[in-house]
């Protein structure tokens, strides 16, 4: 095997050695030249810094623009708040209207209750008055019944002279003169209607018939039964004569009158249901009698 030298083994050619200057070790005052790689590296660094600054600026711009975004959204928020406020105001107004309506209803109910109470009190007062009137009418009716009973008792009492029982006179004597004219008139009115306040010729009430009958013979009598019951001389029911005026109730307060026509009969305008009619004394016994003829 052939031996090679070190130099021979090197594939690349050797760079010739140049002798160094004696001043080569002295540092030059000039700035060393920057290589392209150094410049490129620095340019990259500067670009990164600028990029960072740009990003930061953009971020800052974005942050600075944020208040603008909020300012743009403010009208929307304000509109929502206004809508909510309006809705709340409407609800408040509706509630107030409801309260007012309820208050009006309560006032109306209170007024109605007060009026009902007043009406009830008035109705009670009227009922009390009606009851009082009914009781008064009942007392008067009882008094009238008592007077009739007394009259019946009188009719059946024993006479002073003979001591025998007597009844109402049923005289059969024929009436003459004025009495006959009165009796003829009242009998001619039998069947006509009873009308309160009427004095003929088609209708009468009790005192109207008596007054008109006696007017036929020139005798002027008072208009009402109370006064007619005291217009003449009081006579006993046991001594009646045709033409006497019969009355029912106390003298001076009589509530009904008629004309005695003899034979135990009388003619009078009784009531709206029976009109003018002829009845026996037992039909409705009178209280007393007066004589004006």
């Amino acid at each position: 095997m052939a031996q090679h030298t070190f130099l021979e083994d090197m594939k690349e050619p050797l760079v010739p050695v140049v002798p160094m200057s004696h001043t080569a070790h002295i540092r030059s005052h000039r700035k060393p030249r920057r290589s392209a790689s150094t410049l490129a590296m620095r340019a990259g660094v500067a670009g990164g810094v600028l990029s960072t600054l740009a990003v930061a600026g953009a971020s800052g711009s974005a942050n600075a623009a944020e208040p603008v975004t909020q300012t743009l959204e403010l009208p929307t928020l304000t509109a929502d708040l206004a809508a909510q406020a309006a809705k709340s105001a409407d609800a408040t107004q509706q509630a107030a209207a409801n309260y007012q309506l309820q208050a009006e209803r309560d006032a109306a109910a209170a007024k109605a209750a007060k009026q009902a109470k007043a009406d009830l009190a008035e109705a009670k007062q009227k009922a009390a008055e009606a009851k009082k009137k009914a009781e008064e009418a009942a007392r008067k009716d009882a008094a009238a019944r008592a007077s009739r009973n007394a009259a019946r008792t009188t009719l059946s009492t024993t006479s002073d002279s003979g001591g025998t029982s007597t009844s109402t006179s049923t005289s059969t004597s024929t009436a003459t003169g004025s009495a006959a004219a009165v009796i003829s008139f009242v009998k001619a009115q039998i069947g006509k209607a009873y009308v309160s306040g009427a004095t003929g010729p088609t209708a009468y009430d009790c005192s109207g018939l008596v007054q008109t009958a006696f007017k036929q013979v020139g005798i002027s009598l008072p208009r009402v039964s109370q006064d007619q019951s005291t217009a003449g001389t009081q006579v006993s029911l046991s001594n009646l004569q045709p033409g006497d005026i019969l009355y029912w109730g106390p003298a001076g307060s009589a509530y009904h009158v008629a004309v005695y026509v003899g034979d135990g009969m009388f003619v009078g305008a009784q009531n709206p249901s029976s009109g003018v009619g002829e009845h026996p004394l037992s039909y409705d016994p009178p209280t007393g009698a007066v004589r004006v003829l």
Side-chain angles (χ1 to χ4, degrees), residues 3 6 16 43 46 55 70 129 136 147 168-170 187 192-193 196 204 227 237 239 273 288:
Q3 296 180 350
F6 175 79
V55 171
Q70 293 177 352
E129 292 176 355
E136 183 66 23
S147 297
T168 303
S169 172
T170 55
K187 285 187 174 183
K192 292 186 178 180
S196 179
Y204 300 89
D227 295 334
L237 294 175
N239 191 28
S273 61

Side-chain angles (χ1 to χ4, degrees), residues 12-234:
E12 294 182 1
L14 297 175
V15 178
V17 177
V18 180
M20 184 179 295
S21 173
H22 68 278
T23 62
H25 66 281
I26 302 173
R27 183 176 296 178
S28 174
H29 294 286
R30 288 184 179 181
K31 292 183 179 180
R33 294 180 180 271
R34 295 183 176 89
S35 63
S37 61
T38 302
L39 293 174
M41 181 184 68
R42 291 187 177 182
V45 172
V49 172
L50 292 176
S51 298
T52 302
L53 292 175
V55 171
S59 177
S61 299
N63 292 334
E66 184 174 356
V68 176
T69 302
Q70 293 177 352
T71 303
L72 293 175
E73 292 178 356
L74 186 58
T76 303
L77 294 176
T78 303
D80 292 341
L81 290 175
Q84 293 179 2
K87 186 175 180 180
S88 177
D90 291 341
T92 302
Q93 185 176 4
Q94 184 62 37
N98 292 337
Y99 288 145
Q100 183 178 0
L101 179 60
Q102 186 62 38
E104 291 176 354
R105 289 177 178 175
D106 293 342
K111 184 178 180 181
K114 185 177 180 181
Q115 185 63 39
K117 186 177 181 180
D119 293 342
L120 180 60
E122 184 179 359
K124 288 182 177 180
Q125 183 179 0
K126 289 183 178 180
E129 292 176 355
K131 183 179 179 181
K132 185 177 180 181
K133 289 181 179 179
E135 291 176 350
E136 183 66 23
R139 283 194 296 269
K140 289 182 178 180
D141 185 63
R145 290 178 183 274
S147 297
R148 292 178 184 180
N149 291 334
R152 292 189 183 98
T153 302
T154 301
L155 292 175
S156 61
T157 56
T158 304
S159 62
D160 295 336
S161 59
T164 58
S165 176
T166 60
S167 61
T168 303
S169 172
T170 55
S171 172
T172 58
S173 61
T174 304
T176 59
S178 298
V182 169
I183 293 171
S184 176
F185 178 83
V186 295
K187 285 187 174 183
Q189 312 308 310
I190 293 175
K192 292 186 178 180
Y194 175 99
V195 176
S196 179
T199 57
T202 59
Y204 300 89
D205 63 8
C206 63
S207 57
L209 175 65
V210 173
Q211 183 188 49
T212 305
F214 280 87
K215 187 181 293 185
Q216 307 304 311
V217 294
I219 297 176
S220 177
L221 292 177
R223 173 65 183 84
V224 295
S225 58
Q226 292 91 336
D227 295 334
Q228 289 178 3
S229 65
T230 58
T233 303
Q234 296 288 330

